[in-house]
Amino acid sequence: MAVARPMRRTSPITFFLAAFLAFGFLFFLLSPSSSATTAGDTSQQRREDAADHPLSPPTKPFLKSQPVRNDGLKAPPPVVHYDLNKLTTTSDSADKGERVLILTPLARFYPEFWDNLVHLDYPHELISLGFIIPNTKEGSAALSALESAISKTQNGPIPSRFASISILRQDFEPPLQSQDEKERHKLENQKARRESMSRARNSLLFTTLGPATSWVLWLDADIIETPATLIQDLTGHNYPVIVPNCYQRYYNNDHKQMEVRPYDFNSWIDSSNAQSLAESMGPDEILLEGYAEMPTYRTLMAYLADIESPNPRRVIELDGVGGTALMVKADVHRDGAMFPAFPFYHLVETEGFAKMAKRLGYQVFGLPDYFVYHYNE
Amino acid sequence: MGDFQPRSQPALRRRRQLIQRLFLIGSVSLLLLVLIFPSWRATILPVVSLGLLSSTEDLQLQTVRYYDLSAVQGTADGWEKEERVLMCTPLRDASSHLPMFFSHLRNLTYPHHLIDLAFLVSDSKDNTLEMLSSMLGELQADSDPHMPFGEISVIHKDFGQKVTQDVESRHGFAAQAGRRKLMAQARNWLLSATLRPTHSWVYWRDADVETAPFTIIEDLMRHDKDVIVPNVWRPLPDWLGGEQPYDLNSWQESETALALAETLDEDAVIVEGYAEYATWRPHLAYLRDPYGDPDMEMELDGVGGVSILAKAKVFRAGVHFPAFSFEKHAETEAFGKMAKRMGFSVVGLPHYTIWHLYEPSVDDLRHMEEMEQERKAREKEEKEQAERSERVNTLFQDAKTESEIDNAFVRDDMETKGKEQKASEDSKKPEAESVEEMKADKSSKAPEQEEQKAPEPLKNKNLKDAEEVSAVKPAKE
């Protein structure tokens, strides 16, 4: 008896159980309000943002249960109004609740890409994703890898779930089956490859843009490292088109250490050499960057980076942009700026896009000291 | 052993008490924190509850969508393959056209549930939006299960157009380039907001089409072309010639026009149908033969926007309505050019005609007002004359007997003449009937024509007053 009393009083298990019960009690008392105000907070918003009917913009999730008419038939889709006058693009995009659509042409799936995407700290309920995958064997493999990554995220904790995800299967054959780096970069293959790429980008863009998107972030599937604040940082400048500098990490055998080198050379300031070169070309020829046969002497943003003391907010004006990571105001695309799949002023794809945006009266900018990193093959 | 135990107990108890206190403080503060910062619950609860609670938090939302674009290529018999069509209609101050437009919608024979409707309401000062909403609501609530359409999107976006929408300012030459670019922008906004990965076809249709076959979508689809347009004419009052080509933006490229384009600066826009740019292009509109084969096709380079059927893959590939000068063109004409540039087929049907609404120009209205006044003056005069003759009749009523004798003679005379006439009329009759038939045929094509028909055709009709006609002239000569 004398032994049992102190035991009972001091048993940590009892205490733990009591605390747990009290906690559980309080939790269940509070939980009805919690779903409205807390966990909560985004689930409610997510449900309100959802479309009523499956026939709705892909940037919106839709309710699984569908309304039924009095006569037992499925109710026809509702009349939905979208006021695009109220759509804003501002430098404090996250606070204003501006929706971002991240578009990715995907041929290979890298888990690092997905991890990086999930770690972006822009509110995920404002992010929609769009993927376009070629109809090849490699594409099928990428698709199944992507789908398993998606199901993990979309069934995980609510705050890290994305608002919606669209996966498109491409309707035309890519001109080159090989994703091999060397083959891919051959000059004669470049035009066909980039024109096909343009079509893929346009297909993805114009079917998923929808009426609610404020910003479009083009992010290639092989960008595996970006700052977590990528979206805030790029929208913060509030420019119609802005592109960070795309670099690559590699192991330098000479220095025996990891180093960085420039990767994307499509962001440039035009030169008179390039212009006169273009003038001498036939209507179906295109100018490409990084080929000895075609000395353009353009100023490449890749080489303007200040590695020693970078100033990530430094902005320069550009004439051509690369698409590895590219932030565009949705209005620019809505006005018609797309990725020309034909020589447009002797430019195609993202470089042609920059030209078209300029023709529509927009300016194009780059951040030479703000880095994103490309996968090293 | 008896010595050993009591000595160790206080130390153990003390430690236990410390742990208990820490645990208590920890849990209380956690509880308080959760109460104070509700947003923390989302992160804390799953951790504390070891993920047991998260399973209840299914949002009942479908967030992932999968589409295979090779399933939406667009084929000649799309209605049998359940191919979805996006029907796009830009609207501005169009409330007067809406009842007519909705009657067309209701009559479309293409399965309605496969048609998604998209409207852009921009810079409207009338009640277009309210009318549109209520009429769409009615349409979707129709008791006929085959009446409601698919997804319906109404996009509101003002572009701040200063150009008004009346015929005069709409067709003035100077305003054209700017107007076409703004129109192009509006079309692009509408399409980019409403095109879905489920669409096989996109049908652009203006609200001010007066007469079009109910089967128009199928009729155009059957040709299985990437971009296809019908011929667009409009009825005119008789004193302006009865009918007239309306859409001059559907044409084939000419050497003259290409040479002209070379001389213009980068931002210039060639607009068809104006003396300032004589292009000598073959126009779809002028090739119309009312009795021609409606299935006949003609290759085009520029297209008009009144009624365009295009495969959705054309838009997916990036073809749009350039809001800048693309190969010296803008909007629908440049759309045709861009589609061609990307290797798509662009054709028109010269003998398949739809009829655009006739909106009288300011000059036409003035003219009609003059005619109305003339008519009134004449009616007044006739009335006065009738009154005068009546007065005369009453005045001379006394002469009844005299006139009766006269009348008897006249009656006899008429009876004999009547018999003769009847015999000759019988032989003429069939001819007269056929003439009447032709008249009816014409008026059914152009109902408005009857209404606006002047009581008496004006002999000195001034063609130059109707600016539409003068605009057509250079291409005609």
Side-chain angles (χ1 to χ4, degrees):
Chain A
M1 189 75 187
V3 180
R5 262 184 83 197
M7 274 284 282
R8 206 187 302 144
R9 216 192 298 144
T10 57
S11 162
I13 298 160
T14 332
F15 228 95
F16 179 78
L17 274 173
F20 188 78
L21 266 173
F23 183 77
F25 230 90
L26 272 168
F27 169 73
F28 283 112
L29 277 174
L30 291 167
S31 56
S33 67
S34 80
S35 68
T37 54
T38 62
D41 215 9
T42 70
S43 338
Q44 184 70 12
Q45 193 195 335
R46 281 159 192 263
R47 238 166 294 166
E48 276 166 12
D49 289 339
D52 293 329
H53 200 273
L55 288 176
S56 51
T59 47
K60 281 172 177 281
F62 60 87
L63 302 173
K64 280 178 182 165
S65 57
Q66 284 302 307
V68 176
R69 273 190 354 180
N70 294 335
D71 51 8
L73 292 166
K74 251 194 189 168
V79 179
V80 190
H81 290 257
Y82 303 100
D83 193 348
L84 271 68
N85 291 314
K86 292 196 180 122
L87 209 61
T88 58
T89 45
T90 59
S91 48
D92 52 345
S93 47
D95 292 338
K96 292 259 168 65
E98 292 168 3
R99 293 171 183 286
V100 179
L101 175 62
I102 303 181
L103 296 179
T104 304
L106 189 97
R108 266 187 200 171
F109 180 82
Y110 299 110
E112 299 93 326
F113 161 78
W114 188 260
D115 290 343
N116 183 62
L117 206 57
V118 171
H119 283 113
L120 290 179
D121 66 2
Y122 196 83
H124 282 204
E125 66 272 17
L126 299 176
I127 301 179
S128 290
L129 309 179
F131 297 93
I132 189 159
I133 302 172
N135 223 338
T136 57
K137 218 169 146 190
E138 204 179 23
S140 301
L143 175 64
S144 60
L146 175 69
E147 277 178 334
S148 66
I150 286 174
S151 80
K152 207 176 286 169
T153 306
Q154 292 306 89
N155 293 316
I158 287 175
S160 58
R161 294 184 199 173
F162 295 104
S164 76
I165 301 174
S166 321
I167 306 167
L168 270 60
R169 211 67 202 271
Q170 206 166 294
D171 52 345
F172 51 89
E173 292 288 312
L176 263 186
Q177 295 299 316
S178 166
Q179 275 287 318
D180 178 56
E181 180 115 358
K182 254 192 193 151
E183 189 64 20
R184 215 167 56 179
H185 282 268
K186 268 190 197 163
L187 178 58
E188 54 267 38
N189 292 335
Q190 273 291 306
K191 189 176 172 238
R193 195 188 80 83
R194 296 199 64 188
E195 285 183 353
S196 156
M197 197 61 196
S198 303
R199 286 180 91 124
R201 284 187 192 273
N202 291 333
S203 298
L204 180 59
L205 171 66
F206 289 112
T207 53
T208 58
L209 186 58
T213 308
S214 291
W215 300 88
V216 177
L217 173 63
W218 290 94
L219 195 64
D220 272 3
D222 30 26
I223 297 299
I224 51 163
E225 185 191 336
T226 71
T229 52
L230 179 73
I231 296 174
Q232 292 92 320
D233 295 343
L234 294 183
T235 58
H237 291 275
N238 199 16
Y239 283 132
V241 180
I242 195 160
V243 61
N245 217 345
C246 179
Y247 267 53
Q248 188 177 47
R249 294 189 192 280
Y250 74 111
Y251 185 75
N252 191 326
N253 278 325
D254 301 335
H255 299 156
K256 301 281 178 224
Q257 61 176 3
M258 289 302 286
E259 286 188 355
V260 294
R261 62 185 173 201
Y263 184 84
D264 189 343
F265 297 102
N266 292 330
S267 300
W268 40 257
I269 303 167
D270 212 354
S271 69
S272 53
N273 276 66
Q275 277 171 352
S276 57
L277 209 59
E279 260 169 47
S280 65
M281 284 181 148
D284 285 330
E285 286 181 278
I286 59 164
L287 277 168
L288 285 167
E289 209 40 64
Y291 293 89
E293 305 95 300
M294 218 181 273
T296 60
Y297 300 105
R298 286 164 176 160
T299 312
L300 304 183
M301 188 171 79
Y303 298 127
L304 294 179
D306 186 348
I307 307 278
E308 303 305 311
S309 55
N311 169 17
R313 291 197 56 81
R314 182 160 66 103
V315 179
I316 56 168
E317 204 179 333
L318 297 175
D319 295 298
V321 294
T324 47
L326 174 68
M327 182 65 87
V328 184
K329 284 190 180 182
D331 294 3
V332 179
H333 284 312
R334 289 198 178 97
D335 276 354
M338 49 78 161
F339 301 92
F342 56 89
F344 183 71
Y345 292 82
H346 305 285
L347 302 168
V348 289
E349 216 210 341
T350 54
E351 295 161 288
F353 160 75
K355 181 66 190 174
M356 202 176 276
K358 293 196 126 188
R359 293 285 289 126
L360 284 162
Y362 293 104
Q363 278 177 296
V364 176
F365 297 90
L367 298 171
D369 293 347
Y370 191 95
F371 300 107
V372 298
Y373 295 96
H374 194 273
Y375 187 79
N376 191 359
E377 287 161 86
Chain B
M1 204 178 160
D3 288 346
F4 183 71
Q5 245 185 348
R7 224 181 294 151
S8 72
Q9 252 184 351
L12 246 172
R13 201 179 299 154
R14 233 178 290 134
R15 202 183 303 154
R16 243 186 240 147
Q17 273 171 349
L18 188 72
I19 290 167
Q20 282 162 6
R21 255 179 237 145
L22 278 176
F23 191 82
L24 196 75
I25 290 165
S27 56
V28 165
S29 55
L30 188 74
L31 221 117
L32 279 174
L33 277 174
V34 167
L35 285 173
I36 292 165
F37 301 102
S39 57
W40 285 24
R41 281 184 214 182
T43 45
I44 291 167
L45 283 181
V47 178
V48 174
S49 64
L50 304 167
L52 286 170
L53 285 164
S54 62
S55 60
T56 61
E57 298 200 281
D58 184 8
L59 298 174
Q60 291 299 314
L61 293 179
Q62 181 67 44
T63 58
V64 185
R65 305 177 188 221
Y66 178 85
Y67 307 95
D68 186 357
L69 294 180
S70 48
V72 288
Q73 292 300 295
T75 55
D77 48 355
W79 58 96
E80 283 172 4
K81 293 178 184 156
E82 303 242 309
E83 290 177 357
R84 298 199 72 81
V85 180
L86 173 69
M87 184 163 165
C88 292
T89 305
L91 297 171
R92 178 148 41 101
D93 291 331
S95 57
S96 56
H97 305 323
L98 284 180
M100 183 176 71
F101 179 73
F102 271 80
S103 73
H104 285 302
L105 271 186
R106 286 175 176 270
N107 285 330
L108 284 178
T109 51
Y110 198 89
H112 288 188
H113 70 280
L114 297 176
I115 303 178
D116 293 330
L117 302 179
F119 298 90
L120 177 83
V121 180
S122 57
D123 304 276
S124 276
K125 277 160 224 81
D126 65 359
N127 61 339
T128 302
L129 191 60
E130 292 76 26
M131 248 179 111
L132 180 70
S133 307
S134 71
M135 291 177 98
L136 284 172
E138 272 172 41
L139 195 63
Q140 289 307 84
D142 201 291
S143 55
D144 178 359
H146 298 294
M147 191 50 76
F149 285 79
E151 180 182 1
I152 298 188
S153 320
V154 181
I155 308 288
H156 312 188
K157 172 68 186 175
D158 298 327
F159 296 95
Q161 272 122 320
K162 283 165 197 81
V163 189
T164 50
Q165 191 66 342
D166 66 83
V167 179
E168 206 72 355
S169 60
R170 217 163 58 175
H171 291 279
F173 174 74
Q176 278 295 312
R179 199 189 80 84
R180 296 298 296 274
K181 286 178 185 174
L182 277 171
M183 204 44 223
Q185 197 188 4
R187 284 186 192 271
N188 293 334
W189 275 65
L190 177 55
L191 184 92
S192 61
T194 55
L195 185 68
R196 309 275 178 257
T198 48
H199 291 135
S200 298
W201 297 89
V202 179
Y203 181 47
W204 286 89
R205 170 76 171 260
D206 281 359
D208 42 13
V209 171
E210 188 176 50
T211 318
F214 304 153
T215 53
I216 185 156
I217 297 180
E218 295 95 315
D219 292 345
L220 298 176
M221 198 178 278
R222 262 189 309 111
H223 290 265
D224 200 17
K225 296 292 175 201
D226 296 324
V227 178
I228 188 166
V229 293
N231 204 339
V232 184
W233 278 50
R234 67 170 184 178
L236 284 185
D238 268 357
W239 53 272
L240 279 176
E243 59 186 26
Q244 183 192 44
Y246 178 78
D247 193 337
L248 298 177
N249 295 330
S250 299
W251 39 258
Q252 232 169 42
E253 194 51 282
S254 70
E255 291 299 318
T256 322
L258 287 175
L260 172 69
E262 289 279 298
T263 67
L264 300 171
D265 74 88
E266 198 185 22
D267 288 322
V269 174
I270 299 179
V271 278
E272 222 24 74
Y274 291 88
E276 285 84 344
Y277 289 135
T279 55
W280 302 95
R281 286 168 171 152
H283 285 74
L284 182 70
Y286 294 124
L287 293 173
R288 170 171 174 252
D289 172 0
Y291 304 104
D293 174 12
D295 281 343
M296 201 183 116
E297 293 173 1
M298 170 190 178
E299 284 273 317
L300 295 179
D301 290 283
V303 297
V306 179
S307 167
I308 306 174
L309 184 74
K311 290 187 177 171
K313 71 175 180 189
V314 175
F315 292 102
R316 286 200 301 265
V319 182
H320 63 283
F321 301 93
F324 55 92
S325 169
F326 177 78
E327 296 180 7
K328 308 298 185 298
H329 287 280
E331 212 214 343
T332 56
E333 292 168 290
F335 164 76
K337 285 224 136 192
M338 197 181 276
K340 272 261 158 133
R341 188 80 174 80
M342 290 181 68
F344 292 110
S345 55
V346 181
V347 304
L349 303 177
H351 311 316
Y352 185 97
T353 312
I354 66 169
W355 296 82
H356 193 274
L357 189 73
Y358 166 68
E359 294 163 288
S361 69
V362 175
D363 281 327
D364 288 358
L365 287 174
R366 203 182 304 131
H367 199 158
M368 282 194 281
E369 204 177 311
E370 276 169 24
M371 289 193 302
E372 182 69 14
Q373 274 168 356
E374 251 171 66
R375 190 178 61 85
K376 275 186 184 151
R378 201 171 47 246
E379 270 176 7
K380 201 178 161 193
E381 204 179 307
E382 276 169 5
K383 207 178 162 193
E384 273 171 9
Q385 213 164 12
E387 274 170 12
R388 220 179 299 139
S389 63
E390 208 172 312
R391 232 178 305 144
V392 169
N393 277 346
T394 50
L395 269 176
F396 292 94
Q397 251 176 8
D398 294 357
K400 208 176 181 183
T401 44
E402 215 176 318
S403 64
E404 257 180 4
I405 299 162
D406 283 351
N407 282 352
F409 276 108
V410 172
R411 224 176 293 135
D412 280 358
D413 205 54
M414 269 169 65
E415 257 173 22
T416 48
K417 270 187 185 168
K419 273 174 196 165
E420 281 170 16
Q421 228 169 22
K422 213 178 174 187
S424 67
E425 242 174 32
D426 276 348
S427 59
K428 269 185 194 168
K429 218 175 178 182
E431 205 183 327
E433 249 175 21
S434 73
V435 168
E436 246 175 39
E437 234 173 52
M438 268 191 34
K439 251 190 191 166
D441 196 52
K442 210 171 177 183
S443 67
S444 76
K445 247 187 227 158
E448 188 101 342
Q449 198 177 306
E450 284 301 309
E451 280 167 39
Q452 267 146 0
K453 196 192 250 177
E456 184 186 306
L458 231 94
K459 271 161 204 157
N460 298 331
K461 64 175 172 187
N462 191 346
L463 270 180
K464 271 175 194 160
D465 275 358
E467 51 87 43
E468 268 303 314
V469 176
S470 76
V472 170
K473 253 188 166 174
K476 241 181 183 172
E477 275 159 3

